Amino acid sequence: MSDDIGSSRQLLIWALATRLQLERWEPLVAARLNADSGGPPFPAALIWQAATEHHFLLIAAHHLVRTIDHAGSGIRIDRTIHDELIEGRDLHEHWRENMPVFMVKPRQTEPSHKSGKAFAKRNPDRGPYWWLGWNNIKGPMILPNVPAHAVHTLVDRVETLVVNRDPGLQRFVLPRQPSPWMGESSGKDRWWPRRAAGST
């Protein structure tokens, strides 16, 4: 197996995994918002499902970023998004040391490891442990500086690169699932969730 083929397959594996997790997590964020504005209730169990899907999303996106770094793909990633995805995964994996630091507001102590220090410096009043993040300007937020739409765009770029390198891999690229967001208008309104069927 040539290096290009191996790199392309690793890139595609983690691009597909990241997309899958985005498409599992984002509808839960949208459903919670719909519930808050009069839609169907959001069962408490789904809060924990959202936390799980969000954590797995961080793992997949971390592997995608690291593979891009090592694959010589030429794909450039916004530095803040790049770093925060790596830090976010690390802070979730090492929650025992970091959660007591970031879950107290205002923050009373500083993290002791590199990932935590960098994240804390960039986010003096925010933490990595919220899995239903959203705002009407940037939409669902994976981390304080990582909107989901930016990660979708990154996945699109990786898929295009891989298929251009090896058209035979096209058959493994799954079609995008329908977005849970309005998405038809421009500006802030595009990030309101679509109404669930049967809601008023």
Side-chain angles (χ1 to χ4, degrees), residues 66 79 82-84 86-91 94 97-98 101-102 107 110-123:
R66 287 301 196 194
R79 176 50 60 179
H82 174 285
D83 292 350
E84 201 149 293
I86 291 172
E87 295 156 7
R89 193 297 307 250
D90 290 348
L91 293 171
H94 302 289
E97 301 97 323
N98 292 290
V101 174
F102 286 102
R107 200 174 295 151
E110 292 302 313
S112 56
H113 298 290
K114 180 179 177 181
S115 288
K117 289 179 183 293
F119 186 96
K121 183 177 180 179
R122 191 183 310 110
N123 299 288

Side-chain angles (χ1 to χ4, degrees), residues 8-120:
S8 292
R9 290 183 177 180
Q10 283 301 111
L11 284 166
L12 186 58
I13 285 169
W14 292 114
L16 294 174
T18 301
R19 181 88 78 196
L20 177 63
Q21 285 308 127
L22 283 165
E23 291 176 346
R24 288 177 170 175
W25 172 69
E26 286 184 84
L28 295 169
V29 179
R32 172 65 182 271
L33 289 168
N34 271 325
D36 289 346
S37 57
F42 190 75
L46 291 185
I47 295 174
W48 304 115
Q49 183 180 341
T52 301
E53 304 297 1
H54 178 260
H55 193 160
F56 291 158
L57 169 56
L58 289 174
I59 293 170
H62 173 276
H63 281 296
L64 178 60
V65 168
R66 287 301 196 194
T67 304
I68 290 170
D69 287 345
H70 294 294
S73 65
I75 292 176
R76 297 181 66 83
I77 309 172
D78 174 89
R79 176 50 60 179
T80 299
I81 290 174
H82 174 285
D83 292 350
E84 201 149 293
L85 284 171
I86 291 172
E87 295 156 7
R89 193 297 307 250
D90 290 348
L91 293 171
H92 278 70
E93 179 176 349
H94 302 289
W95 62 269
R96 193 180 298 273
E97 301 97 323
N98 292 290
M99 194 172 279
V101 174
F102 286 102
M103 295 299 283
V104 175
K105 293 185 179 181
R107 200 174 295 151
Q108 303 297 309
T109 59
E110 292 302 313
S112 56
H113 298 290
K114 180 179 177 181
S115 288
K117 289 179 183 293
F119 186 96

Side-chain angles (χ1 to χ4, degrees), residues 8 12-13 15-16 19 155-156 158-164 166-176:
S8 292
L12 186 58
I13 285 169
L16 294 174
R19 181 88 78 196
V155 172
D156 289 339
V158 170
E159 289 179 346
T160 298
L161 172 74
V162 167
V163 171
N164 285 340
D166 185 351
L169 294 175
Q170 175 67 59
R171 69 188 189 275
F172 299 110
V173 177
L174 301 175
R176 290 275 299 269

